[in-house]
Amino acid sequence: MEISIRGKTECLTKTEIRKIFDFLCKYFLGKRLSKYIFIEVEFKSLNTVFGLCEPTDYDYKNHREFNIQIEKNMTRIKTIKTIIHEMVHVRQYARNHLKQISIDKYKWMGKNMIMQDLDYHKMPWEIEACSYEKPVYQECKQLLE
């Protein structure tokens, strides 16, 4: 995995951020696939969300390049959980479980879904991402001790 970090957060050092992303990339993608992943991480003010993840290599069937944006003014715990959440989305895109078809249309596990028909908390890709935050946080916490 290659990672580029822009911006900063007061709750994590760049070394800690790299350590977390390296661990999560291997955790969610395995050693083999993680070798081909490039992530640009931006810490900035997002105002309405904690984090965002989007593939940036739209010419490829299986995405390998991603931009992750993280709200820079959060607690250490919330920042780490948000990184975990967004890395689940990286896995979903990289393994072709989630695909954005248009601005409001996604394909999840082969099934077309329209965003306006779904509440955020009922989107299957968000349910999956949320389910990893707490248990994987404990592993990240130990990693940084």
Side-chain angles (χ1 to χ4, degrees):
M1 175 198 70
E2 285 186 52
I3 184 169
S4 167
I5 303 169
R6 294 190 348 207
K8 66 178 187 168
T9 178
E10 298 299 320
C11 63
L12 291 168
T13 66
K14 285 196 176 187
T15 300
E16 289 174 318
I17 293 165
R18 287 182 188 285
K19 193 181 272 191
I20 291 167
F21 272 96
D22 185 55
F23 168 75
L24 293 174
C25 200
K26 289 175 185 156
Y27 183 92
F28 288 119
L29 299 170
K31 288 181 182 178
R32 198 170 107 210
L33 181 55
S34 65
K35 290 178 189 177
Y36 304 102
I37 299 295
F38 176 79
I39 299 172
E40 179 181 61
V41 181
E42 297 179 77
F43 287 92
K44 59 195 249 182
S45 293
L46 296 176
N47 301 320
T48 59
V49 295
F50 300 128
L52 298 166
C53 172
E54 63 182 355
T56 56
D57 56 348
Y58 290 103
D59 294 337
Y60 297 103
K61 181 180 176 185
N62 298 306
H63 297 294
R64 300 294 180 257
E65 297 175 14
F66 302 89
N67 175 266
I68 293 178
Q69 298 175 24
I70 305 287
E71 169 59 49
K72 68 179 185 174
N73 296 310
M74 295 190 294
T75 65
R76 184 177 175 90
I77 293 169
K78 188 61 185 166
T79 300
I80 294 169
K81 285 183 177 182
T82 301
I83 293 170
I84 293 164
H85 183 105
E86 300 310 325
M87 281 301 295
V88 174
H89 292 318
V90 167
R91 185 189 74 192
Q92 292 166 343
Y93 282 116
R95 295 213 170 147
N96 217 11
H97 296 168
L98 179 62
K99 189 172 215 116
Q100 186 171 2
I101 307 300
S102 65
I103 193 85
D104 67 339
K105 189 176 179 183
Y106 286 77
K107 189 173 273 200
W108 171 252
M109 302 294 221
K111 182 180 176 187
N112 288 332
M113 303 189 123
I114 298 171
M115 295 285 287
Q116 65 191 28
D117 295 343
L118 296 171
D119 178 321
Y120 172 85
H121 297 287
K122 292 184 180 173
M123 294 175 189
W125 52 92
E126 295 299 344
I127 292 169
E128 181 181 43
C130 289
S131 75
Y132 281 98
E133 290 177 20
K134 190 174 181 180
V136 180
Y137 169 75
Q138 294 304 321
E139 295 188 50
C140 286
K141 184 178 168 186
Q142 289 177 347
L143 178 74
L144 299 176
E145 291 176 348

